[in-house]
Amino acid sequence: MLDHQLEPAAPTALVRSLGVVGVLLLTLSVTSPVSSLFVIVPGMLRVAGTGAIWAVLLAGIVCVATAYVYAELSSVWPVAGGEYVMVARTLGPLAGFVMLGVNVFNNLLFPPAIGLGLAAILSTVIPGLPAVPLAVTVIIGSTLVALLQIRVNAWVTGIFLLIELVAVVLVVALGFGEISRPFAEMLSNPTMLGATSSTLVPASAASIGLATSIAIFALNGYGAAVYFGEEMHEAPRKIAKAIFWAVALTLLLEGVPMVAILVGAPDLVTLFNSDDPFGLLVRLRAGDAAAIWISIGVATAIVNAIIACILACSRFFYGTARDRCWGRPIDELLTAIHPRYASPWISTLIAGGAGVACCFLPLELLLVLSGTGLVVIYAGIALALIAGRRNGMLADAPFKSPLYPLMPFLTLLALGYIICLNWLDVEEGRPGLMMTGAQILLSAAYYWLVLRRRGVWDVHVPSLIK
């Protein structure tokens, strides 16, 4: 009887078990710098050539500014729901729910979108892998891992990150091991592919600007630290450290290898025309076997990103259900905490199940459905910081963004430029903006027709982190 009384009660909420390092490992896994390096950066090189160096530098300034915005808001509201809580508290419930709606699409569609690209990454290792079955298998496995205790997941993602780091170190060593051109020359006279893709011409300001917008997306993810805020010890005081370490390491892990292949590539025209410039350099310098190991490292990065994204997504849905967004039966299910692993296990299964279902949609459709939600999310938190400073809600913030209002204004300025670029791109950018607009309208309609009719909707902030 006494033993029974001493048994710890099953958790009814998320349990604080992470430090700065644990949150950092999970956040870096969401940003997935290695997969961005091999999947997104080649597009920057095709667009701007060596001008991509300036693009990463400019994008880095924007991302650091946005990281400061995230850090201040997260120090006040380190809540599992993430950005929509910050926006709802400062800009009102309608704006908050619009942010929530846009995030639903971004969170659910990212794992299947990158999962469907795994087969192409592994084609050099195992040719002919079917894309959909592979993506489904990986997402199911990642979901099962995400059900485990959050500290276990931090260690799992940390091990995966070490494997990814091997791929980065190899690229850096091969690039700087035999330098073909000086770094300073590429900075002072950046070049890009000409109209015929067979010669180099001076990189234009427009091409560098376009590459900058791509780089901002490639560096995204550092704000995901907030989703793990309710499982972090002393989150209001420490979460800013995790965010800044995440953005710094992401810049380092994407920027240095990119410079390495630019200074080390024997022929820039061939490099810029390649769909896999990093693999090309590795094959030239170290052979096919090394290129295969690089592919395995990139695949590991993608699997790691899927695990981390499902973890973040499950916390997001846990927060939305706690805020009574979907109706009593669904809300009660999504807020269920596993008695042993202290994870939001039904929310995790829902996030994984939705990812599996989306694997059967065409990749092009997934990319269009994803829209340009990141623009809305960054704009929302920048405006939330401005509003929170004005109405005094951030007066006691444990972390304060310096040089206010420079950081949110830099973010908004960059986003305005990205919107213009996307609108000019009639094939992908403009449909993405239109899809994001549809998500905003759909979210606003749900708020007015469903939530508003129930009464005043508000977000929940656990008392320990107010």
Side-chain angles (χ1 to χ4, degrees):
M1 181 67 177
L2 182 61
D3 291 340
H4 177 72
Q5 290 177 344
L6 293 177
E7 288 181 4
T12 57
L14 297 174
V15 176
R16 296 185 186 279
S17 60
L18 296 174
V20 173
V21 173
V23 173
L24 174 61
L25 292 175
L26 292 166
T27 305
L28 274 178
S29 299
V30 174
T31 61
S32 191
V34 175
S35 59
S36 294
L37 181 68
F38 283 83
V39 176
I40 300 177
V41 170
M44 294 167 52
L45 298 178
R46 282 193 295 273
V47 167
T50 59
I53 298 173
W54 281 109
V56 169
L57 291 173
L58 293 171
I61 294 172
V62 174
C63 289
V64 168
T66 309
Y68 273 106
V69 175
Y70 263 111
E72 180 167 344
L73 293 170
S74 297
S75 73
V76 179
W77 298 294
V79 181
E83 296 91 350
Y84 84 84
V85 175
M86 308 167 182
V87 173
R89 281 296 171 114
T90 54
L91 297 173
L94 175 58
F97 195 82
V98 165
M99 180 70 68
L100 185 156
V102 172
N103 247 334
V104 166
F105 285 89
N106 276 269
N107 289 336
L108 286 181
L109 297 178
F110 183 75
I114 62 173
L116 288 171
L118 257 179
I121 295 294
L122 290 173
S123 60
T124 58
V125 183
I126 309 175
L129 274 175
V132 174
L134 179 61
V136 167
T137 302
V138 168
I139 291 177
I140 290 175
S142 299
T143 302
L144 295 177
V145 173
L147 288 171
L148 301 176
Q149 212 270 345
I150 191 69
R151 287 188 67 185
V152 175
N153 274 287
W155 280 107
V156 170
T157 55
I159 293 170
F160 277 35
L161 282 168
L162 285 176
I163 297 172
E164 299 171 36
L165 190 59
V166 173
V168 172
V169 170
L170 179 59
V171 169
V172 171
L174 292 174
F176 287 123
E178 188 176 334
I179 294 177
S180 300
R181 63 195 54 81
F183 175 71
E185 179 184 327
M186 293 189 295
L187 271 182
S188 58
N189 298 296
T191 56
M192 57 182 279
L193 287 175
T196 61
S197 297
S198 59
T199 58
L200 295 177
V201 298
S204 65
S207 66
I208 293 174
L210 180 56
T212 301
S213 70
I214 299 173
I216 290 172
F217 283 88
L219 297 168
N220 173 56
Y222 43 86
V226 68
Y227 292 109
F228 308 109
E230 290 184 43
E231 293 161 285
M232 183 182 193
H233 295 296
E234 301 179 78
R237 188 171 63 87
K238 294 182 176 180
I239 197 166
K241 294 180 182 178
I243 292 172
F244 289 127
W245 272 110
V247 74
L249 289 173
T250 300
L251 279 166
L252 186 69
L253 292 173
E254 294 187 31
V256 173
M258 185 188 74
V259 172
I261 69 162
L262 289 175
V263 300
D267 179 44
L268 288 179
V269 172
T270 303
L271 186 80
F272 296 156
N273 277 302
S274 174
D275 291 330
D276 183 18
F278 294 92
L280 175 65
L281 181 68
V282 172
R283 282 191 295 274
L284 285 174
R285 294 280 168 82
D288 291 338
I292 289 174
W293 283 109
I294 287 289
S295 297
I296 293 173
V298 178
T300 301
I302 291 176
V303 173
N304 197 23
I306 292 173
I307 294 173
C309 286
I310 292 175
L311 284 167
C313 188
S314 64
R315 272 71 185 164
F316 167 77
F317 277 109
Y318 168 85
T320 64
R322 186 174 57 190
D323 292 332
R324 303 298 180 223
C325 293
W326 317 115
R328 180 171 297 175
I330 298 176
D331 290 334
E332 290 178 355
L333 286 173
L334 294 179
T335 52
I337 299 294
H338 195 280
R340 180 177 179 182
Y341 301 127
S343 61
W345 67 281
I346 295 181
S347 288
T348 303
L349 292 175
I350 293 295
V356 168
C358 289
C359 287
F360 295 94
L361 297 175
L363 179 58
E364 294 77 12
L365 178 59
L366 289 177
L367 296 176
V368 171
L369 290 175
S370 297
T372 50
L374 181 61
V375 173
V376 176
I377 294 166
Y378 278 8
I381 64 168
L383 293 173
L385 177 59
I386 294 170
R389 286 288 187 106
R390 288 184 174 181
N391 61 27
M393 298 192 76
L394 297 175
D396 298 323
F399 177 86
K400 287 283 191 179
S401 176
L403 303 176
Y404 176 83
L406 177 62
M407 303 307 179
F409 279 2
L410 264 177
T411 299
L412 292 172
L413 183 65
L415 295 176
Y417 179 69
I418 291 173
I419 290 173
C420 291
L421 288 177
N422 276 275
W423 185 256
L424 294 175
D425 180 7
V426 295
E427 293 185 0
E428 296 179 6
R430 190 174 299 180
L433 287 173
M434 295 172 68
M435 180 54 64
T436 301
Q439 294 169 13
I440 291 172
L441 292 176
L442 183 63
S443 302
Y446 185 91
Y447 173 81
W448 282 108
L449 299 177
V450 179
L451 292 183
R452 187 69 175 173
R453 290 188 175 185
R454 297 180 191 164
V456 178
W457 178 74
D458 196 10
V459 295
H460 175 75
V461 178
S463 57
L464 289 177
I465 54 175
K466 278 184 178 177

